[in-house]
């Protein structure tokens, strides 16, 4: 039996979504056509709109509908510290802590040569220019403590230190509420090595 | 910080996909806008096209771009047997076996009152009409052997037997290559109860 061509094309198109293989794509296409045509319609137009209006903030590089995003434009933030994060979600998490009043720079990814993501894809040129605006005194690297996040932090710190920018990295150690018995050995070892005076 | 409204709308729209919660939807939206704008564009137009041209075959109820799907229209199939399956994927699997030459009826779902899928949603009126076209001699129920598939088979068989249609169900038992040691107890019990003479 043949699947209608337009259905095949829809299934193929859904596979551009991360984590969606042939089976999920088929299930999604059936669901949309069978049970949620209204949702499918909304999705198609949301995609069109977002593609048209969403771009990147010229300063912090996050997603924005304006050339400068509301946070960078607000003038209420401390321009002397610049926090470098991987993704907009990381920036949101950081904001929820209320522990940081400075500016952000969002790499929109992490160095990952296997996925074809090199220095150019994470906008390091733009970061270098941003860090040298004359106001930034300290760049705080808040990439993840994963292998890729660590490599990214290392690379960025090499790059910026050449230009005389002060660089710091968020601390490593035991999580809040963490119990020594249950924390992983790597974290505990780091927490021991990086112990600090009281 | 605020997420741009169009990005929020895209994330919300992606949640209409089955199995996609807020976190996956956010990841998908970022991926599409950051790394695969071409794919997003293709997806938007594939959705539009499919919504416009894909409908249901008047005979077998599967997805089709024509009023009668190519298989039903072919005339090469045996009109005296009608195999009832849950989804088009089930029909494809059945076709791959080359064990069945008759016609199909695709319910496009299974009875599942908790998900709001009752007799009307699985097109039982259409099936009843289809089974009484004068040519169909036997209706083979090939719904899944899950709780919902079984309930659906039971409901359909009650409905059709009232109208004097002959009804059969695909066999239950050990899978091909199945080892008694590793098969689950339920399957083994069924295989024992439904043993047949040689």
């Amino acid at each position: 039996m043949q699947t209608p061509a337009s259905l095949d094309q829809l299934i193929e198109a859904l596979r551009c979504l991360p984590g969606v293989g042939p089976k999920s794509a088929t299930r999604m296409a059936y669901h949309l056509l069978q049970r949620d045509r209204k949702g499918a319609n909304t999705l198609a137009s949301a995609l069109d709109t977002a593609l048209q209006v969403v771009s990147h903030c010229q300063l912090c590089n996050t997603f924005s509908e304006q050339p400068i995003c509301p946070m960078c434009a607000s003038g209420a933030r401390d321009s002397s510290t610049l926090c470098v994060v991987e993704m907009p979600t990381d920036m949101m998490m950081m904001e929820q802590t209320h522990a940081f009043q400075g500016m952000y720079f969002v790499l929109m990814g992490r160095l990952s040569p296997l996925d074809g993501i090199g220095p150019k894809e994470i906008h390091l040129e733009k970061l270098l220019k941003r860090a040298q605006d004359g106001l930034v005194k300290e760049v705080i690297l808040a990439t993840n403590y994963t292998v890729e996040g660590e490599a990214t932090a290392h690379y960025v710190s090499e790059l910026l230190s050449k230009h005389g920018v002060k660089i710091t990295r968020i601390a490593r150690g035991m999580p809040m509420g963490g119990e020594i018995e249950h924390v992983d050995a790597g974290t505990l070892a780091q927490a021991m090595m990086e112990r600090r005076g009281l």
Side-chain angles (χ1 to χ4, degrees), chain A:
Chain A
M1 69 158 284
Q2 302 150 283
T3 314
S6 49
L7 183 57
D8 265 342
Q9 278 151 22
L10 175 57
I11 292 171
E12 193 51 42
L14 282 163
R15 293 191 53 191
C16 78
L17 297 170
V20 174
K23 285 225 170 182
S24 317
T26 307
R27 195 163 57 95
M28 285 172 169
Y30 288 176
H31 172 85
L32 291 176
L33 288 171
Q34 182 62 22
R35 308 237 173 273
D36 199 1
R37 287 190 166 234
K38 194 156 155 274
N41 221 330
T42 313
L43 177 55
S45 51
L47 281 164
D48 280 334
T49 312
L51 286 172
Q52 273 168 37
V53 306
V54 178
S55 181
H56 294 282
C57 171
Q58 286 168 15
L59 285 175
C60 75
N61 199 40
T62 195
F63 289 124
S64 170
E65 290 176 8
Q66 294 89 33
I68 307 285
C69 78
M71 188 190 283
C72 288
S74 75
R77 313 278 303 195
D78 170 15
S79 314
S80 69
T81 45
L82 184 69
C83 178
V84 177
V85 293
E86 294 181 16
M87 297 299 290
T89 34
D90 301 331
M91 173 158 79
M92 275 181 248
M93 280 305 292
M94 193 64 86
E95 280 300 284
Q96 281 173 27
T97 67
H98 297 286
F100 179 69
Q101 316 301 330
M103 311 286 275
Y104 287 94
F105 187 88
V106 184
L107 298 171
M108 290 287 173
R110 58 208 66 87
L111 284 180
S112 178
L114 287 180
D115 302 320
I117 301 176
K120 208 178 143 220
E121 277 70 35
I122 57 170
H123 311 94
L124 293 188
E125 291 280 316
K126 194 169 168 182
L127 170 59
L128 191 59
K129 209 174 131 221
R130 178 73 185 82
Q132 294 177 303
D133 70 345
L135 295 168
V136 174
K137 300 266 175 293
E138 179 183 353
V139 173
I140 304 164
L141 300 178
T143 55
N144 292 333
Y145 269 113
T146 56
V147 175
E148 288 158 350
E150 280 279 69
T152 307
H154 183 75
Y155 193 97
V156 172
S157 102
E158 292 278 300
L159 183 79
L160 294 183
S161 62
K162 264 186 233 159
H163 294 81
V165 184
K166 182 187 171 193
I167 302 156
T168 54
R169 180 93 169 96
I170 51 167
R172 248 186 314 208
M174 295 281 296
M176 282 279 284
E179 294 174 327
I180 305 240
E181 188 183 342
H182 297 117
V183 87
D184 67 292
T187 300
L188 190 56
Q190 284 297 344
M192 178 58 77
M193 281 193 287
E194 292 175 21
R195 66 191 179 276
R196 62 197 185 84
L198 288 177

